[in-house]
Amino acid sequence: MTTSKLTRRAALGGLLGAGLAAPGLMRVSAAPAEPLTLWGIPATPSAVFARAVSSDALLKVAPGTQFDIWKSTDQMRAGIATGDFKLFATSTYAAANFYNRGAGTVMVNIVTWGVLYIMSRDESITRIEDLAGRKVLLSNKNEAPDLLFRLVLTWSGLDPDKDVELEYVGSPGEAVPLYLAGRGDVAVMHEPAATAALVRAEAAGLPLFRALDVTEIYGAHTGRGPRIPQVGLAVNPEFLAEYPEIVSAAHEACVEAGVWSLANPEAAGLLASAQLPLPPELIAQSLPFVHLDVTSAQEARTDIETYFGHLMSLDPGIVGGKLPDAGFYWG
């Protein structure tokens, strides 16, 4: 398989990593001169970050902390390259790619453990093997969602290039109207696109079902349960070295916010919708389907390395050609 777009575009020269303070040896330093912005992703898991920035513990060490979302991966890359992004949500494989190529990005935690679903108009599709001979609509060619789908097909005895017909579109959002208009037999969709498709299908009187959870299929193969460490909070290493107490407080705020968001989906949806380009009702309905469980990167290391190993079996370049070393994992 060809090297992923992320790999080709993530070679950011001239960026030097900094030494990381051990969590047990944290010192208290003055708050940053400028208010901190915690950057979320434009998707459902950012409900956690929208809540986290209101944490008393975080505001005590970083007064005025704000929440915003990055609008595109290009904006995220630029923020990392310039050092403007101090704390930011990202996919784990993107963070590893930056780390391995010298950008020094450190993974603080995992927030969501799987967001990929196979949607169908046909209730008889209940196993991955039922996709044989079907046309599949999906997005993000050569990126992690595409590789994950190819992996679960292969593990189930199907050849992704022979036994199914793959039709790619540019983004998850594009897949929703195309699939509802009749393109493809099934569609592979992220959250919140999968929930959005269900809402739109119901309003239009169209049949649509959440047929398969890719995370469940993945977990059945790995034996580690439905846990794909896909998205979490990352930190600029220089910021971590200067303000370890802020990073620790941000993680603890995320842990509380994750529990609160699951227990209060409507309130979480309303809070997050102020920044996310999504209606609060959609965020609330999507939250139960993102496998939310905030876990430090160090605690999640085995799951992360297992995940990266599977991705690298199809495209080693997706994480920069090797597993990141211990410096990648905070906690």
Side-chain angles (χ1 to χ4, degrees), residues 38 49 87-89 106-109 111 231-235 250-251 254:
L38 194 163
F49 307 122
L87 278 169
F88 53 95
V106 175
M107 207 74 209
V108 176
N109 60 32
V111 169
V231 174
L233 187 67
V235 64
H251 170 64
C254 287

Side-chain angles (χ1 to χ4, degrees), residues 139-172:
S139 61
N140 300 87
K141 186 173 184 178
N142 294 333
E143 300 291 351
D146 178 29
L147 300 187
L148 276 170
F149 181 61
R150 287 175 170 270
L151 282 168
V152 298
L153 285 174
T154 301
W155 294 339
S156 300
L158 298 178
D159 185 328
D161 298 312
K162 295 180 180 178
D163 295 327
V164 297
E165 181 182 349
L166 302 180
E167 181 179 357
Y168 291 95
V169 296
S171 70

Side-chain angles (χ1 to χ4, degrees), residues 155-293:
W155 294 339
S156 300
L158 298 178
D159 185 328
D161 298 312
K162 295 180 180 178
D163 295 327
V164 297
E165 181 182 349
L166 302 180
E167 181 179 357
Y168 291 95
V169 296
S171 70
E174 290 177 54
V176 174
L178 290 173
Y179 186 63
L180 294 180
R183 286 270 286 275
D185 298 313
V186 298
V188 180
M189 294 184 182
H190 306 61
E191 282 298 333
T195 295
L198 287 167
V199 170
R200 291 178 60 171
E202 182 178 11
L206 299 172
L208 185 61
F209 310 98
R210 198 185 294 269
L212 297 166
D213 182 347
V214 171
T215 308
E216 293 280 356
I217 301 168
Y218 173 93
H221 179 84
T222 64
R224 299 192 60 80
R227 295 173 72 79
I228 305 177
Q230 288 192 270
V231 174
L233 187 67
V235 64
N236 172 286
E238 294 180 357
F239 184 85
L240 174 58
E242 184 70 17
Y243 302 107
E245 71 282 359
I246 293 179
V247 177
S248 181
H251 170 64
E252 292 305 320
C254 287
V255 171
E256 186 278 334
V259 174
W260 179 85
S261 296
L262 286 177
N264 303 276
E266 289 79 14
L270 188 62
L271 181 64
S273 66
Q275 294 293 339
L276 290 174
L278 300 167
E281 298 84 1
L282 180 61
I283 299 171
Q285 291 180 53
S286 177
L287 270 169
F289 297 99
V290 297
H291 294 279
L292 197 62
D293 180 19

